[in-house]
Amino acid sequence: MGKKRRTFNIEFKKKAVDLYLWDGMGCKAVGKELGIEHTTVLRWVRHFEAEGLKGLEEKRGKTQGSTIGHPSTYPEDTETKIKRLEAENEMLKKLLQV
């Protein structure tokens, strides 16, 4: 089994970013001091530089984009599609005869 993912608050992330950006510590040194991976420090720095404090907010479990509120759609199998199209054709024929 893999490691359980930990969640860090914004203050902790900001401290790591400050140590890297303002105190001149390397990412490995910051990671070692705070007990986290150095790649995590670099990711937080990139997010902070791109979006500020908003970039340090927790994003896991939140949907993004235009899919919010839209139902999931699954491709139809061939038989279902044929039946649907035949029903549409019959309805259109009846409408044209009126």
Side-chain angles (χ1 to χ4, degrees), residues 13-71:
K13 293 177 182 181
K14 180 73 168 97
K15 179 180 178 182
V17 169
D18 287 344
L19 288 172
Y20 179 80
L21 290 177
W22 311 121
D23 293 350
M25 291 178 69
C27 61
K28 289 185 180 182
V30 173
K32 193 172 189 175
E33 182 171 315
L34 298 178
I36 57 177
E37 294 290 325
H38 71 280
T39 55
T40 304
V41 175
L42 290 175
R43 184 173 63 246
W44 292 345
V45 169
R46 280 196 318 270
H47 288 270
F48 180 76
E49 288 175 335
E51 304 174 45
L53 281 177
K54 187 172 174 74
L56 298 179
E57 291 177 359
E58 182 62 42
K59 294 179 178 68
R60 284 186 277 168
K62 296 181 181 180
T63 57
Q64 296 178 357
S66 62
T67 59
I68 297 171
H70 295 277

Side-chain angles (χ1 to χ4, degrees), residues 7 11 15 29 70-71 74 88:
T7 302
E11 291 80 23
K15 179 180 178 182
H70 295 277
Y74 300 99
E88 284 181 20

